[in-house]
Amino acid sequence: MSSIIDKVMRKGTLRVGLSSFVPWAMQDKKGEWIGFEIDVAKQLGEDMGVKVEFVPTKWEGLIPSLLTGKFDLIIAGMTGTPQRALKINFTIPYDYSGMNVVIHKDFAAGVTNYMDLDKKDNTIISRVGTTGAALAKETYKNATVRLFPDEGPMVQELLNGKATALLASAPQPAQLAAKYPDTLVLLDENLVQQPICIGVPKGDPDTLAYLNNWITVVRNNGFIQKKVDYWWKSLEWEALLK
């Protein structure tokens, strides 16, 4: 059986399944696809010398559509979980999505690690019902944990200095720090790391080997870091949407 890589090279087109999710994959004001995943997929296509065709798909339809051959690979900010890996194969991670903490500058002195925040007078805030809320309660035993149903009031509480820090899934903490650089500071470490991987159909070791090699190269040559800095830690790209 010929591998996906063989087929793609013969056709000259790589079909990539994605799901729209800001700032991973979204359409700009001209209707063009932009985002972290889009840059990753385009670079992969460029390095293979093929065109890239994006196939937007509902999130829950990504794995079934890969299995029926609607596209060649999934590049969609997908975490390679053991449950998903029963159905499809995953590459080594090309990035990690985690939980981060963003701190009000008044409380940032001497904080080098997220556990430094676990003090009696500190207040850690998060959104009700999120993985961040569960993690905050599990992590912080001495600090007060307060949960908010809505994002607006929660962020305002932090900006007003009524809370020490906010715990949430990436990239929200980094983007808040980028938006309010005079007030907030990002603690640049992940509390948990979720591996973001490329999804490949089972039974294709050649494609998996090629992609793992490619990921090693782009992680080591600074390409991924450059994209992380642009899409996660800055808000320069917002102008492309308006």
Side-chain angles (χ1 to χ4, degrees):
M1 195 178 98
S2 76
S3 70
I4 284 169
I5 290 290
D6 283 343
K7 287 178 192 157
V8 166
M9 296 308 286
R10 279 204 306 273
K11 278 194 332 215
T13 305
L14 173 67
R15 295 168 309 152
V16 172
L18 58 86
S19 209
S20 90
F21 195 55
V22 178
W24 302 81
M26 53 205 168
Q27 282 169 302
D28 67 10
K29 51 195 169 191
K30 296 191 209 108
E32 299 289 321
W33 283 100
I34 59 165
F36 178 78
E37 299 301 353
I38 304 302
D39 286 355
V40 169
K42 282 181 172 169
Q43 188 63 45
L44 175 60
E46 195 178 308
D47 290 341
M48 289 174 71
V50 297
K51 289 204 303 269
V52 177
E53 185 189 310
F54 294 109
V55 185
T57 306
K58 278 207 172 83
W59 179 259
E60 59 278 11
L62 281 169
I63 289 175
S65 299
L66 179 70
L67 296 174
T68 55
K70 291 219 173 76
F71 38 77
D72 305 308
L73 305 171
I74 296 173
I75 302 181
M78 188 174 274
T79 304
T81 64
Q83 293 76 18
R84 290 177 183 147
L86 292 169
K87 297 192 181 109
I88 64 173
N89 282 339
F90 287 104
T91 60
I92 58 172
Y94 55 93
D95 192 22
Y96 290 92
S97 168
M99 294 276 173
N100 300 109
V101 173
V102 60
I103 309 169
H104 191 285
K105 277 198 171 155
D106 290 357
F107 304 100
V111 176
T112 56
N113 170 291
Y114 65 88
M115 286 313 289
D116 293 343
L117 294 164
D118 197 18
K119 296 196 176 83
K120 205 172 75 191
D121 297 333
N122 285 349
T123 301
I124 314 296
I125 57 177
S126 198
R127 273 289 285 281
V128 172
T130 60
T131 38
L135 193 63
K137 287 187 154 164
E138 202 179 292
T139 308
Y140 297 110
K141 300 298 182 203
N142 299 310
T144 304
V145 174
R146 285 182 57 208
L147 304 181
F148 287 73
D150 300 306
E151 201 159 293
M154 174 180 74
V155 171
Q156 206 47 56
E157 194 79 352
L158 183 64
L159 292 172
N160 293 344
K162 300 246 179 73
T164 313
L166 181 152
L167 193 161
S169 292
Q172 189 189 21
Q175 291 181 345
L176 285 171
K179 201 169 183 177
Y180 305 104
D182 299 337
T183 316
L184 305 180
V185 58
L186 176 72
L187 188 59
D188 203 359
E189 74 167 327
N190 280 328
L191 277 80
V192 291
Q193 283 202 322
Q194 297 172 316
I196 304 299
C197 309
I198 298 176
V200 185
K202 293 228 178 254
D204 190 346
D206 287 352
T207 298
L208 211 51
Y210 174 79
L211 292 170
N212 285 341
N213 170 271
W214 180 80
I215 288 166
T216 302
V217 171
V218 291
R219 278 189 74 85
N220 288 335
N221 71 10
F223 169 79
I224 294 289
Q225 191 54 51
K226 203 166 86 188
K227 295 302 170 186
V228 164
D229 290 344
Y230 180 76
W231 292 106
W232 302 149
K233 297 182 183 174
S234 90
L235 289 167
E236 288 169 50
W237 50 266
E238 279 192 333
L240 304 171
L241 303 179
K242 296 184 172 83

